[in-house]
Amino acid sequence: MTTVEERRAADEAVEERLAPAWEESGGIRGWFTTVDHKKIGRRYMVTAAFFFVAAGLEAMVMRTQLAGARLDVVSPELYNQLFTLHGTTMIFFFSTPMLFGFGNYLMPLMIGARDMAFPRLNAFGYWVFAAAGLLMTGSLLFGAAPNGGWFAYVPLNEEQYLPGVGMDVYCLGLLLLGISTTGGAINFIVTALTMRAPGMSLNRVPLFVWAVVVQSFMIVFALPPLNVANLFLFLDRRYGFHFFDPSEGGDPILWQHLFWLFGHPDVYIIVLPALGIVSAIVPTFSRRPLAAYPLVVLATVTTGVISFGVWVHHMFATGLPQLSLSFFSAASLIVTVPSGIQVFSWLITIMLGRLVVRTPMLWVLGFLVVFVAGGVTGVMFAVVPFDQQTTDSYFVVAHFHYVLFGGAVFPIIAGIYYWFGKFTGRMLSERLGRWSFWVVFAGFNVTFFPMHVLGLLGMPRRVYTYEPELGWAGWNLVETIGAYVLLVGLSLILYDIVRALRRGPAAPDNPWGGETLEWATTSPPKEYNFPVVPTVHSLHPMWDEKSLASMARDRDDDERTLTDGKQALRTSDLDGVPEHPVALPRESVLPLVVALGLAAPTFALVLGAPLVAAVSALLLPAGLFVWHWPRAARQEAEAARSRDAAPAGADA
Amino acid sequence: MTALPAAATDPAAAAREVPAGRRPGWWGMVLALVTDVAAFAALLAAYFYIRFVTAGDNWPPGDIAEPKLLKAWIMTALLLASSAPLVFADHGIKNGRRGRMLAGVGVTVLLGVAFLVVQGLEYREKLTVEFTPQTNAYGSLFFAITGFHGLHVIVGVLALLVILVAGLAGRITHRHHAIVRITGLYWHTVGAVWVFIFGSLYLAAQL
Ligand code: HEM
Ligand SMILES: [Cu+2]
């Protein structure tokens, strides 16, 4: 047995040599210059949580307004801004960035790497995301928030029907965010492809990493249509182009195609990594490896591919040809198969294992119930006549909250409870965790289940109020009460986090006995994550003696400790054979500067100052120039010169 | 036993076939180009959607004439020709021939700038006598697609200028020349995309 003490001793032996190369500035300066994937990952999570709170409070105002018939809490104009901003924020600025935060923090740890492949791109992505979110959420304070619904249908969202800057904020904010998301996705793929620990062939890659990689590939293909759509809409609105204007040869349906070509895959862009979190948690608390790992990998990949062929199910009511409706209806029904495979894999793992229900697992069980319920109503929509009856009603609102709240928020909270010790070095409270779970679970269902009923009774979505004669007030009141219960449950979690950060018990390295490599690091991990790069011998390195032993044994092996500067190990793409060390960049303000070169022009364009935009955009080429200026040849020459100056043989 | 031909089995030949990992930067550029090409695909899909689903028979719509081809042929020739010197430059620096690299990159820059100049002339003619982006959806699409591509050429020329300066400063050597290879990948892709744009917006519009 390799004891923890042995590994600790091995770690300490190399830490002194690693620390100087990996240290970053602290304080304010470090705040602007860090390129450490863990700090960036944490930032992503905290910022996304902030947007969740903002969008959640917007929802509370909506629910308050809808508590009874003909209430007058907010004006119709403000209500439009509230639901648009709530939807846009939850989809774009909470779900994906939150899961990017998990991915950023965990992917390098899970694959035994020391950082991402492009640490500066990573920092850049965070700044751009933060700027875009600030623009979007900040606009509400000026009463200038987007107000045409989160999918911004034309012609409603053309300038002549929705004047004002609200929808310009939407187009430009999403374009800005798109750059950040695309950069992040590329970074994930390249990291997973080139930086895995020796021995981690593709069939030993943890499922969470697979999920993030598939998510990233989907982003690479799905974001371009969205960006093109937003560019078109912006040009239409601001510069009098006619892409979507039927009177000048344009076509409103084009917007719908472009948007949903992105929009449906986006559901899986959000949900897949969340399912990856579930696949990470279930084996730990079932005390056995996940059943049918290869099938789950295949299902993940298949989901990603098929979801590009079903976008028209969002357009069943637009009068498309019958044949295309049938095709997309069938395709939509087929997507349920790979999702089903994943669900059965978790269930079988739980059945065959020895279930231990701790808080993270409790949230996963809650997820299973809610997500399956959302899936069932999803199948109903794939059937064209049903969809045509219920589209744009509260039934739809109920459905996508079961899918998105159930499929993303439950796993995210499970993930927070599971990895909080790793992220912060402190443990959350088991007791508060259980309380908050039951309150949230109850609140969630009381809020959203009645929406199915109201939808079938005919209540349309996106209405700021309704007439008393319609008889909808009772159910609406129940929903609003549920929303407040939900708020209490979520606040309990926030309280638990604040409490734990201040005086929670210290977290052990591997509090739950997990199987993947992040648990081999200290809690929280050192800057370089792994003093000795592990060699992986199975899918469950922490449950397998040989992999564990490698981290103590290789402490004297320079090719595994890489103490010659800030270095990571490049391994081969498919089977993880070590190739050569790669140098990683040190901390830098460049990412922030280049991000400003994008964000400043965007803000200027929103405010209608194209000249300021053009001038501030010059930061972009300037920053990129410094960023890419080739330095390696010069550095190598200098290193060689100082070697020659040193006594012969000292450093061969 | 008859001797087998040795050329294919000696260790050096075998080693050439072992897949050597590309640099992370190379993979990063490949993926960036994939998403970029997807953006062009979305643009062209929008163009064909408007042409075939929305517009019907009369294309280009209204009394806009079919696009004239002379300048576009010249642009195509310039951009396609510009890839060759870049390949030459890449091979040159791999063998440590800095002069070849500088010459190759220089010629590519000139051809790229020439492309932009002809595109500028083309734009002036279109905007003053034919149509503008505000004329109708056809005009919007034409300028959005060619403009987006022109932007890519501008970015490529700037990147090549950086290489030129860095090469003159002795910062690109036969051991450190990934930047040439990776920028080349970008440049060739932008050229290939132009062929599709030329085929869709100019040639196919004659049909
Ligand atoms: C925190 C608890 C939440 C509550 C109380 C809530 C409540 C609501 C309500 C009442 C609406 C309907 C507004 C209307 O049609 O008039 C709505 C819309 C929406 N919600 Fe939520 N929601 C919550 C969380 C979420 C989450 C986590 C997501 C996604 C990850 C989400 C995504 C959306 C979207 C996309 C819309 C549609 C917006 C539109 O129509 O443009 N919501 N929400
Ligand atoms: Cu869909």
Side-chain angles (χ1 to χ4, degrees):
Chain A
M1 275 295 280
T2 321
T3 59
V4 174
E5 287 72 40
E6 279 171 356
R7 220 153 30 78
R8 275 277 158 73
D11 290 355
E12 273 159 23
V14 277
E15 273 165 11
E16 278 168 41
R17 284 184 287 154
L18 279 171
W22 285 82
E23 205 175 2
E24 292 192 332
S25 327
I28 299 281
R29 189 189 150 83
W31 228 89
F32 293 114
T33 60
T34 183
V35 293
D36 181 336
H37 74 98
K38 297 179 289 299
K39 291 186 194 153
I40 296 169
R42 254 190 339 236
R43 258 180 213 182
Y44 258 108
M45 289 189 263
V46 172
T47 313
F50 169 78
F51 290 132
F52 179 77
V53 171
L57 293 177
E58 286 152 22
M60 293 315 296
V61 177
M62 289 193 290
R63 275 320 322 164
T64 311
Q65 162 70 19
L66 294 177
R70 284 244 152 257
L71 294 189
D72 202 9
V73 179
V74 289
S75 66
E77 292 76 27
L78 185 56
Y79 190 88
N80 289 348
Q81 296 184 24
L82 287 174
F83 72 69
T84 305
L85 201 57
H86 165 77
T88 310
T89 308
M90 284 294 190
I91 297 276
F92 294 99
F93 292 92
F94 159 66
S95 313
T96 313
M98 177 60 98
L99 291 159
F100 262 40
F102 277 90
N104 254 312
Y105 199 102
L106 292 169
M107 178 189 270
L109 293 175
M110 282 188 169
I111 62 174
R114 284 186 172 167
D115 207 311
M116 300 282 282
F118 308 115
R120 289 184 297 190
L121 177 64
N122 210 13
F124 164 78
Y126 170 76
W127 292 118
V128 173
F129 150 63
L134 191 69
L135 173 66
M136 198 69 98
T137 297
S139 65
L140 187 63
L141 302 179
F142 301 93
N147 50 356
W150 82 276
F151 40 79
Y153 272 8
V154 288
L156 172 65
N157 281 278
E158 293 275 18
E159 165 92 274
Q160 65 265 45
Y161 305 112
L162 277 186
V165 305
M167 288 318 292
D168 300 337
V169 168
Y170 174 94
C171 299
L172 292 178
L174 290 191
L175 279 171
L176 196 57
L177 180 70
I179 294 171
S180 152
T181 313
T182 307
I186 291 175
N187 209 349
F188 281 134
I189 298 174
V190 178
T191 304
L193 199 61
T194 63
M195 313 276 280
R196 303 194 307 277
M200 190 178 277
S201 47
L202 286 188
N203 58 341
R204 292 178 185 162
V205 173
L207 272 169
F208 176 75
V209 176
W210 269 111
V212 172
V213 168
V214 173
Q215 171 204 34
S216 301
F217 269 107
M218 294 180 69
I219 287 173
V220 162
F221 289 104
L223 277 204
L226 175 72
N227 292 339
V228 165
N230 274 314
L231 178 71
F232 281 3
L233 183 56
F234 182 70
L235 292 174
D236 262 17
R237 290 178 57 86
R238 269 295 171 86
Y239 297 104
F241 286 42
H242 299 289
F243 296 106
F244 305 123
D245 174 5
S247 66
E248 295 292 350
D251 196 331
I253 300 293
L254 176 62
W255 166 273
Q256 298 196 17
H257 280 298
L258 288 172
F259 189 91
W260 291 117
L261 193 49
F262 148 82
H264 186 82
D266 192 50
V267 175
Y268 291 94
I269 288 175
I270 293 172
V271 168
L272 278 183
L275 303 189
I277 293 179
V278 174
S279 295
I281 294 178
V282 165
T284 302
F285 295 95
S286 304
R287 312 308 301 149
R288 91 182 285 289
L290 193 77
Y293 165 87
L295 269 185
V296 177
V297 172
L298 280 179
T300 308
V301 176
T302 322
T303 311
V305 175
I306 302 183
S307 64
F308 278 90
V310 299
W311 79 94
V312 168
H313 65 211
H314 295 267
M315 304 163 60
F316 281 162
T318 43
L320 296 173
Q322 195 67 46
L323 186 67
S324 103
L325 295 193
S326 312
F327 171 84
F328 283 99
S329 170
S332 306
L333 288 168
I334 288 177
V335 199
T336 54
V337 174
S339 311
I341 291 180
Q342 301 205 41
V343 172
F344 282 112
S345 154
W346 298 319
L347 290 180
I348 292 172
T349 311
I350 293 172
M351 267 169 52
L352 297 182
R354 297 180 148 211
L355 184 63
V356 187
V357 183
R358 307 290 293 276
T359 342
M361 193 61 198
L362 195 57
W363 284 96
V364 164
L365 295 175
F367 146 82
L368 276 172
V369 174
V370 175
F371 185 65
V372 169
V376 169
T377 48
V379 177
M380 294 156 80
F381 287 124
V383 181
V384 177
F386 182 85
D387 179 85
Q388 289 179 338
Q389 282 300 311
T390 49
T391 193
D392 271 336
S393 78
Y394 259 87
F395 198 89
V396 177
V397 181
H399 158 69
F400 64 68
H401 282 90
Y402 269 78
V403 171
L404 290 172
F405 201 109
V409 178
F410 274 70
I412 284 170
I413 299 176
I416 291 176
Y417 272 91
Y418 187 55
W419 283 297
F420 195 79
K422 192 54 64 188
F423 295 159
T424 65
R426 307 268 181 177
M427 293 301 279
L428 289 170
S429 147
E430 194 64 22
R431 207 166 57 90
L432 275 174
R434 280 166 196 270
W435 270 100
S436 63
F437 170 78
W438 286 110
V439 178
V440 168
F441 188 77
F444 172 83
N445 284 295
V446 176
T447 311
F448 293 106
F449 192 81
M451 291 190 186
H452 293 108
V453 182
L454 276 177
L456 293 178
L457 290 178
M459 178 163 171
R461 67 193 287 195
R462 297 175 172 173
V463 288
Y464 78 100
T465 194
Y466 46 88
E467 298 299 327
E469 307 82 75
L470 289 166
W472 297 338
W475 286 114
N476 268 299
L477 185 62
V478 172
E479 284 171 14
T480 303
I481 293 172
Y484 277 93
V485 175
L486 189 53
L487 180 68
V488 170
L490 292 170
S491 311
L492 268 181
I493 299 174
L494 193 63
Y495 167 74
D496 193 8
I497 290 176
V498 174
R499 193 201 52 87
L501 283 178
R502 293 176 55 191
R503 45 173 205 279
D509 290 352
N510 189 357
W512 318 105
E515 56 174 339
T516 34
L517 277 175
E518 77 272 26
W519 302 114
T521 61
T522 53
S523 293
K526 296 281 186 347
E527 286 88 347
Y528 35 84
N529 298 347
F530 301 91
V532 183
V533 174
T535 300
V536 174
H537 292 276
S538 72
L539 181 56
H540 327 283
M542 294 303 287
W543 292 352
D544 126 54
E545 186 53 31
K546 267 168 89 185
S547 308
L548 281 178
S550 75
M551 282 177 268
R553 187 193 60 215
D554 294 340
R555 71 172 121 168
D556 299 318
D557 184 348
D558 283 346
E559 289 177 8
R560 289 295 182 277
T561 54
L562 304 171
T563 50
D564 191 15
K566 191 174 176 184
Q567 288 185 336
L569 192 60
R570 163 72 163 109
T571 53
S572 65
D573 313 334
L574 300 182
D575 33 21
V577 176
E579 289 189 348
H580 52 81
V582 286
L584 292 177
R586 304 290 305 253
E587 61 179 324
S588 157
V589 285
L590 280 173
L592 180 58
V593 172
V594 177
L596 276 178
L598 279 174
T602 311
F603 278 75
L605 272 183
V606 168
L607 299 174
L611 204 65
V612 181
V615 173
S616 56
L618 289 178
L619 264 181
L620 194 60
L624 285 174
F625 175 79
V626 183
W627 186 322
H628 289 99
W629 183 241
R631 295 187 181 79
R634 186 60 57 93
Q635 280 158 3
E636 198 178 73
E638 272 161 18
R641 218 173 305 132
S642 59
R643 250 203 308 279
D644 291 345
D651 187 12
Chain B
M1 218 179 88
T2 46
L4 294 166
T9 54
D10 72 51
R16 254 200 305 282
E17 287 312 306
V18 174
R22 304 282 190 170
R23 315 192 135 265
W26 188 86
W27 278 115
M29 179 53 88
V30 167
L31 288 163
L33 288 172
V34 167
T35 188
D36 208 30
V37 168
F40 278 109
L43 284 167
L44 288 178
Y47 174 85
F48 284 116
Y49 185 87
I50 295 290
R51 172 169 178 184
F52 288 116
V53 181
T54 314
D57 289 339
N58 178 22
W59 191 260
D63 26 67
I64 297 175
E66 283 162 6
K68 293 198 225 56
L69 294 182
L70 179 64
K71 289 204 195 66
W73 274 116
I74 297 177
M75 286 159 78
T76 310
L78 285 170
L79 210 52
L80 288 187
S82 73
S83 274
L86 204 50
V87 174
F88 174 78
D90 190 26
H91 278 289
I93 193 65
K94 248 203 311 213
N95 301 320
R97 312 282 294 264
R98 191 163 69 126
R100 290 191 177 191
M101 180 197 64
L102 293 175
V105 173
V107 174
T108 304
V109 167
L110 289 181
L111 290 169
V113 171
F115 174 93
L116 289 170
V117 170
V118 183
Q119 187 169 38
L121 296 175
E122 160 98 342
Y123 269 20
R124 197 175 59 183
E125 184 183 316
K126 286 238 166 11
L127 289 171
T128 47
V129 294
E130 292 192 47
F131 58 89
T132 70
Q134 283 89 359
T135 306
N136 55 22
Y138 170 75
S140 304
L141 283 162
F142 181 89
F143 282 101
I145 296 172
T146 54
F148 190 56
H149 181 268
L151 194 66
H152 278 75
V153 178
I154 293 176
V155 170
V157 167
L158 289 177
L160 290 172
L161 285 175
V162 173
I163 293 184
L164 217 51
V165 176
L168 285 170
R171 293 196 169 239
I172 301 178
T173 63
H174 74 290
R175 283 176 49 84
H176 296 282
H177 58 267
I179 190 173
V180 183
R181 168 63 55 93
I182 293 172
T183 311
L185 206 58
Y186 172 85
W187 187 265
H188 305 318
T189 310
V190 170
V193 164
W194 173 257
V195 175
F196 284 92
I197 294 176
F198 176 58
S200 310
L201 264 56
Y202 287 89
L203 292 185
Q206 317 288 325
L207 301 175

